[in-house]
């Protein structure tokens, strides 16, 4: 990486392959987030686009997933560019202990790193899980829920 140019050089120090970009993130697990022409994409270590620079935002969500955004909505894709959640969410948080909080139409739910919706969005609020429980708000009432979205009784 040199300035806003990333590429491979030969033994004499000349560029063999290069790519110009506005912003180039560090390579992590063979992938780098890159901004080119005002759009965000994902490069592999061979400087090939895994995800073309087409999104308004792109950030690392952990566990090999990336949060992408377009027109104020967010989705989730993996390190190979496969879309797991379409860009129809109001918010997606990074994964914590293999779980990501997601918000759709003002309701919160939970997405599992194993590529499945753990809890469909139905809570007005949803805090972070600790010891298998999280604070939430359901029908205007403060509750505690378990990892499956079941309301716990005191």
């Amino acid at each position: 990486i040199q300035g806003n140019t990333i590429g491979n050089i030969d033994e004499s120090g000349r560029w063999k392959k290069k790519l110009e970009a506005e912003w180039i993130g560090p390579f992590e697990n063979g992938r780098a987030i890159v901004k080119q022409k005002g759009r965000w994409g994902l490069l592999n270590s061979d400087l090939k686009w895994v995800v073309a620079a087409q999104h308004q935002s792109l950030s690392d969500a952990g566990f090999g997933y990336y949060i992408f955004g377009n027109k104020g909505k967010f989705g989730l894709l993996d390190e190979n560019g496969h879309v797991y959640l379409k860009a129809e969410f109001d918010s997606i948080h990074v994964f914590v202990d293999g779980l990501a909080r997601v918000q759709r139409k003002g309701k919160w739910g939970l997405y599992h790193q194993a590529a499945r919706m753990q809890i469909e969005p139905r809570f007005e609020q949803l805090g972070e899980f600790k010891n298998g429980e999280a604070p939430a708000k359901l029908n205007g009432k403060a509750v505690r829920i378990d990892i499956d979205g079941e309301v716990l009784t005191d």
Side-chain angles (χ1 to χ4, degrees), residues 4-79:
N4 288 351
T5 303
I6 186 172
N8 300 322
I9 56 172
D10 62 20
E11 297 79 27
S12 66
R14 288 182 294 211
W15 291 103
K16 291 191 318 186
K17 184 176 184 180
K18 68 180 181 177
L19 178 104
E20 299 286 332
E22 296 159 49
W23 189 87
I24 302 165
F27 277 90
E28 294 178 16
N29 300 315
R31 303 289 188 261
I33 296 173
V34 176
K35 184 178 184 183
Q36 187 181 55
K37 297 179 183 175
R39 296 293 183 161
W40 295 88
L42 193 62
L43 280 181
N44 68 16
S45 55
D46 294 327
L47 303 184
K48 292 182 181 172
W49 290 102
V50 177
V51 176
Q54 62 187 348
H55 299 293
Q56 292 176 335
S57 66
L58 185 66
S59 59
D60 190 346
F63 292 92
Y65 288 100
Y66 295 84
I67 301 166
F68 68 95
N70 292 309
K71 299 179 182 176
K73 296 293 182 180
F74 300 91
L76 198 64
L77 54 85
D78 72 7
E79 59 196 6

